[in-house]
Amino acid sequence: MREAQFASLFATEAQSLAIILGTNEIASATAVRLTWDGYLVILSHDPYPPVIRRGMAFHDALFEDRAQVDGITGERAETVMEIVGALAKPGHVVVTPLELTDLIALRTPDVLIDARMQKYRVTPDLRGISRLTIGFGPHFEVGVNCDVAIETHPTTTGKLIETGRTAVADGRARDLGGVGKDRFVYSDRHGLWRTPVDIGMRVFKGLVIGNHDGAAVCAPMDGFLRGVARDATVVPHGVKLLEIDPRGRAASWTGSDQRGRAIAEATAKAIRIGAARQKLLDAAQLSRG
C-alpha cells in the first residue's frame, strides 16, 4: 500500500522530470543546472565509458559514497520508494543503476538527455520517449535520433544544433594548463582495473597509479590526479583510465568546470526554446479546434 502511494506521488506532473543518461561530469553539471531550474532529475548509469572525473560527478553515489557537485547531492536509488524519497529532498538528484526502460515505466520524462558521451558508438533513436530529447556530442542528428543536439568538441563546446548533425569525434582534447591529450592515459586492453589511489592525489611522472589486467599503469606527468577510473572497474580497450591536472596550485578536481557549465547552459536554452515552440503549437491547435 505504501509503495502504491509513493508510485502515485511519482506519477504526478506537478514538477517536470528530466532523465539523464550518464553519470559523468557533463551529465552531472547538467543535472545541477536543471535542479536549479526546478526539475526533478534522475541520472541513469551506463558503464561505457567508465567515469574518471568522479570528483566532478555524481557517479560515486552509485556506491553510496558522498557525491556533491555545486551544492547539489546525488543519492543512489533503485526502488520507486527510494527514488521518490530522494527526489523529495531539496537539492537532491537521483543516481540509479536502473536503465531507461525501467525508468519510463514509472513516468514519462518531460526531457530526456543522452549525456553518455559515447563518441565511437552508434546512438539509437530516442525521440518520442519524452517531449524533448537532447543529445550531447558525436553521433547525433536532429530529426534522426534526437530533437536537438549540443556540441561537446573543444572548439564548439555548448553550440546548439537545431538542424543537421554534430561534429564527429577527432580525438582532440582541450588544453588544460597547456597540455592536451598527453595528460590522459588510455587503456590498451580489456580487463579489471585496480588502483589504491583516488582523486586529488599529488603524483609524479612514472608513479604507478594502478594495474589494468596485469599491466602497471603510470602517471604520464607531474600534477594532481584529476580523474581516475574507480577501483575494481572492468575497463574496456581504448578508453580513458586517468587524467592528470598539470596546473600546480591552480589544479581543480571537484565541482563543475567551464565546459560542463557551458553544455548545461545550452541545455537549459534548448529546453526554453522547445517549451516556447510547444506553446505555439498548442495555441495553433486550439485555434483550429
Side-chain angles (χ1 to χ4, degrees):
M1 181 66 178
R2 189 182 180 194
E3 186 160 351
Q5 290 174 336
F6 271 96
S8 176
L9 175 62
F10 186 62
T12 182
E13 297 192 9
Q15 273 186 281
S16 296
L17 172 67
I19 293 178
I20 301 177
L21 305 182
T23 55
N24 56 56
E25 79 281 3
I26 301 300
S28 299
T30 304
V32 167
R33 176 55 194 266
L34 295 186
T35 301
W36 289 345
D37 287 347
Y39 276 77
L40 303 175
V41 180
I42 300 175
L43 296 95
S44 173
H45 172 57
D46 190 293
Y48 184 92
V51 176
I52 65 169
R53 292 173 182 154
R54 295 181 291 109
M56 305 166 67
F58 293 119
H59 177 74
D60 281 355
L62 285 167
F63 305 90
E64 299 184 349
D65 287 349
R66 183 177 181 273
Q68 284 193 331
V69 180
D70 297 347
I72 303 299
T73 299
E75 183 173 333
R76 178 190 168 95
E78 196 165 352
T79 68
V80 173
M81 292 175 64
E82 289 172 346
I83 290 172
V84 175
L87 292 177
K89 300 175 185 178
H92 277 61
V93 299
V94 163
V95 187
T96 183
L98 295 178
E99 298 181 356
L100 178 61
T101 51
D102 301 310
L103 295 172
I104 61 176
L106 302 177
R107 176 183 154 183
T108 300
D110 298 278
V111 180
L112 173 62
I113 300 168
D114 190 337
R116 292 174 292 179
M117 311 290 285
Q118 295 178 333
K119 298 179 182 180
Y120 304 103
R121 289 193 167 187
V122 176
T123 301
D125 184 2
L126 299 174
R127 293 173 302 156
I129 294 175
S130 65
R131 296 174 185 173
L132 180 66
T133 299
I134 303 173
F136 290 175
H139 296 300
F140 282 102
E141 184 173 357
V142 176
V144 175
N145 58 3
C146 65
D147 298 312
V148 64
I150 296 171
E151 290 283 14
T152 59
H153 190 276
T155 61
T156 53
T157 298
K159 180 182 178 182
L160 210 60
I161 305 296
E162 298 183 76
T163 58
R165 64 181 63 187
T166 52
V168 298
D170 60 7
R172 177 179 174 180
R174 68 188 182 96
D175 283 351
L176 188 71
V179 183
K181 194 172 183 178
D182 290 343
R183 70 179 186 275
F184 295 99
V185 173
Y186 293 79
S187 59
D188 61 2
R189 66 193 72 196
H190 177 98
L192 182 66
W193 167 248
R194 300 309 308 260
T195 179
V197 303
D198 209 346
I199 305 294
M201 179 178 172
R202 182 79 164 96
V203 298
F204 300 93
K205 183 176 181 178
L207 177 71
V208 176
I209 303 297
N211 182 290
H212 185 216
D213 190 39
V217 176
C218 303
M221 63 183 63
D222 297 351
F224 289 88
L225 204 55
R226 189 168 191 249
V228 62
R230 190 179 175 96
D231 179 49
T233 298
V234 175
V235 176
H237 174 268
V239 299
K240 295 171 182 173
L241 267 174
L242 62 91
E243 177 188 12
I244 304 298
D245 190 329
R247 295 176 294 175
R249 292 184 179 180
S252 176
W253 50 86
T254 60
S256 61
D257 63 0
Q258 184 178 4
R259 179 183 183 228
R261 291 190 293 271
I263 294 170
E265 177 59 37
T267 303
K269 181 180 179 181
I271 292 172
R272 291 194 300 269
I273 292 172
R277 288 177 178 170
Q278 187 61 51
K279 188 175 290 187
L280 289 174
L281 287 172
D282 292 343
Q285 289 177 351
L286 187 62
S287 64
R288 286 196 300 267

